[in-house]
Amino acid sequence: AGRESQSEHDRIVKYVAEFLKKRGFDNVRADIDGFETPRKIIWSSTEEGYIPDVTAEKKGRKYLFEVKTEDSIYDKHTEDQWRLFATYAKEHSAIFCVVVPEKARNTAIKRLTELKIKIYGLLHLTTPIISEGYLVPKTELKSYPCQEDRKRTPLFNWFKRI
């Protein structure tokens, strides 16, 4: 990722981690300065793996969040991460969500569909986060439910409920 998109990525990671802490999630970890680093998730067959951008726990359930910027959605690295984290979530009854800026929402939906990767939901920020340490007023995480079972609680209701 370029310097600008890496900066945007890190700001979104920070926002997600702070969002979860404010909503009472436990053991919030983030792969940025100021937070404890999440544990690496590995494929048991190869011992290779990745560190999720944010992990947290609530009511005994683990949550994984992977932040992507528009320029990284089609990277092989992204595909590998999404496959690993989606598999881990399925095998461990965890929740895996992808988080993108609003402008990247449709690209992310298209890519997840092409790859046939099942995630709990896609979150997108409705307003960009402008500068380090400052969140734009009314920045929100909105959701697009990605599970086939549409009877599941939509993610935006789920965030409010938790």
Side-chain angles (χ1 to χ4, degrees), residues 8 68-74 101 103-104 107:
E8 178 184 35
K68 292 296 168 193
T69 52
E70 195 165 30
D71 66 344
S72 66
I73 289 172
Y74 276 86
K103 65 186 179 207
T107 306

Side-chain angles (χ1 to χ4, degrees), residues 39-43 52 55 62-64 81-96:
R39 290 192 179 95
K40 188 176 194 177
I41 294 175
I42 60 167
W43 290 108
T55 59
K62 186 161 182 132
Y63 297 81
L64 295 91
Q81 285 181 310
W82 285 356
R83 287 197 191 286
L84 173 61
F85 299 153
T87 301
Y88 175 91
K90 186 176 181 183
E91 291 177 357
H92 294 85
S93 299
I95 299 286
F96 170 47

Side-chain angles (χ1 to χ4, degrees), residues 85-161:
F85 299 153
T87 301
Y88 175 91
K90 186 176 181 183
E91 291 177 357
H92 294 85
S93 299
I95 299 286
F96 170 47
C97 296
V98 171
V99 185
V100 296
E102 186 170 35
K103 65 186 179 207
R105 175 184 179 270
N106 290 339
T107 306
I109 291 167
K110 182 176 182 240
R111 186 62 177 149
L112 286 161
T113 303
E114 288 169 0
L115 296 171
K116 297 181 174 67
I117 293 176
K118 301 279 188 285
I119 64 171
Y120 191 90
L122 175 74
L123 302 174
H124 65 274
L125 286 152
T126 58
T127 324
I129 300 168
I130 289 179
S131 64
E132 205 64 49
Y134 294 95
L135 301 179
V136 173
K138 296 188 179 177
T139 297
E140 291 181 282
L141 281 172
K142 295 279 188 182
S143 69
Y144 175 89
C146 293
Q147 286 286 2
E148 285 178 356
D149 180 5
R150 297 295 180 179
K151 292 177 187 165
R152 266 197 162 159
T153 306
L155 209 57
F156 45 88
N157 291 343
W158 166 78
F159 263 119
K160 289 176 189 163
R161 216 169 23 101

